[in-house]
């Protein structure tokens, strides 16, 4: 069964850092581009970042560029999102998702990141 | 990287049809055959309903259909059922490895 499971969320102060992980199972991570998508409380989905199969190509939404870094360890079937210089507006549930045909066919249940003092 | 525009809400009675629009630009919706649609129930992860504009993943009822004309994509839900009540989001590839989501539409089954 294909599964992606996010972890690493929590409460962090403004300006702090957090590293999210996404453990993939049931498929070969190295065969897929992957995404991070976030959703602030009561708000809509927002695309955050994308990474290619071997980690050599990445893209970021303007709102996180220069502060967030997406990476992957295919040997460990794990996707990461390093989040630095966090702001209150980064508070959201963060989802990782597998890409196929320019869409996201499998999503995790998300991990909540709260940025507050 | 502006969000695609969707109506905030849509509604229909059981058995009726509802159509949701998703308006972008020639740099996203109109420029690629890469519009997807997601259904999200409260507190749940999004679920892929349509990809490449009009294709349904395995297991998605054929009551769900997608289309595109110019810079606007549409999702139609026919034969509305109570379980179709949810939030729906469109998404499109926007070039240079970027993606963009729509603003979301809350569908209510009356």
């Amino acid at each position: 069964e294909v599964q992606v499971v996010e972890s690493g969320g929590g409460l962090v102060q403004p300006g702090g850092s957090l590293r999210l992980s996404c453990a993939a199972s049931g498929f070969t991570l190295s065969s897929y581009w992957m995404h991070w998508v976030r959703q602030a409380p009561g708000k809509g989905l927002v695309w955050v970042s994308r990474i290619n199969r071997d980690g050599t190509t990445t893209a970021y939404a303007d709102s996180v560029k220069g502060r967030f870094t997406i990476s992957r360890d295919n040997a460990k079937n794990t996707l990461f999102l390093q989040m630095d210089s966090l702001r209150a507006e980064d508070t959201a549930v963060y989802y990782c998702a597998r890409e196929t045909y320019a869409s996201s066919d499998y999503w995790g249940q998300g991990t909540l990141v709260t940025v507050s003092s | 990287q502006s969000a695609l525009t969707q109506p905030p809400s849509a509604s229909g009675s059981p058995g009726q049809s509802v159509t949701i629009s998703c308006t972008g630009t020639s740099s996203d919706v109109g420029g690629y055959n890469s519009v997807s649609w997601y259904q999200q129930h409260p507190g749940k992860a999004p679920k892929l309903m349509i990809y490449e504009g009009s294709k349904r993943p395995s297991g998605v009822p054929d009551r769900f259909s997608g289309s595109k004309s110019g810079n606007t994509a549409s999702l139609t839900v026919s034969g509305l059922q109570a379980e179709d009540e949810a939030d729906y989001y469109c998404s499109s590839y926007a070039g240079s490895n970027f993606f963009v989501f729509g603003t979301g539409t809350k569908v209510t089954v009356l």
Side-chain angles (χ1 to χ4, degrees):
Chain A
E1 179 190 6
V2 171
Q3 275 193 315
V4 291
V5 179
E6 305 91 340
S7 62
L11 175 63
V12 61
Q13 292 189 338
S17 297
L18 215 53
R19 189 193 199 200
L20 305 184
S21 298
C22 170
S25 61
F27 67 101
T28 303
L29 184 66
S30 60
S31 297
Y32 294 87
W33 292 63
M34 296 293 292
H35 295 254
W36 287 98
V37 176
R38 70 184 181 184
Q39 187 170 35
K43 302 297 184 181
L45 300 174
V46 176
W47 177 79
V48 172
S49 184
R50 183 196 194 204
I51 188 169
N52 72 339
R53 296 180 186 89
D54 63 6
T56 57
T57 298
T58 59
Y60 301 91
D62 287 345
S63 58
V64 307
K65 193 171 185 178
R67 300 187 299 121
F68 289 13
T69 303
I70 189 172
S71 63
R72 62 196 298 159
D73 184 337
N74 288 335
K76 295 183 178 179
N77 285 328
T78 306
L79 175 74
F80 302 101
L81 185 68
Q82 176 66 41
M83 304 186 296
D84 299 320
S85 302
L86 282 162
R87 307 166 180 167
E89 54 265 35
D90 295 319
T91 294
V93 173
Y94 285 75
Y95 295 100
C96 75
R98 187 182 83 167
E99 179 183 331
T100 183
Y101 298 108
S103 65
S104 293
D105 61 346
Y106 283 93
W107 297 64
Q109 286 305 301
T111 187
L112 176 62
V113 172
T114 303
V115 184
S116 175
S117 55
Chain B
Q1 297 180 2
S2 298
L4 307 176
T5 300
Q6 297 181 232
S9 62
S11 62
S13 299
Q16 291 187 331
S17 296
V18 64
T19 297
I20 304 165
S21 62
C22 169
T23 301
T25 69
S26 58
S27 296
D28 38 61
V29 174
Y32 305 93
N33 184 32
S34 299
V35 173
S36 50
W37 289 90
Y38 302 89
Q39 177 191 66
Q40 187 180 35
H41 288 107
K44 301 295 187 182
K47 175 186 176 183
L48 177 65
M49 304 303 284
I50 296 288
Y51 67 98
E52 291 186 335
S54 60
K55 298 177 181 178
R56 281 187 309 277
S58 175
V60 172
D62 60 6
R63 304 185 292 103
F64 291 85
S65 61
S67 63
K68 190 183 84 169
S69 177
N71 297 335
T72 298
S74 298
L75 173 72
T76 297
V77 186
S78 306
L80 268 174
Q81 299 183 4
E83 59 262 35
D84 299 332
E85 185 161 296
D87 294 325
Y88 291 82
Y89 296 90
C90 61
S91 176
S92 175
Y93 180 64
S96 301
N97 289 309
F98 289 93
F99 280 75
V100 61
F101 278 94
T103 50
T105 299
K106 181 177 180 60
V107 169
T108 301
V109 181
L110 302 172

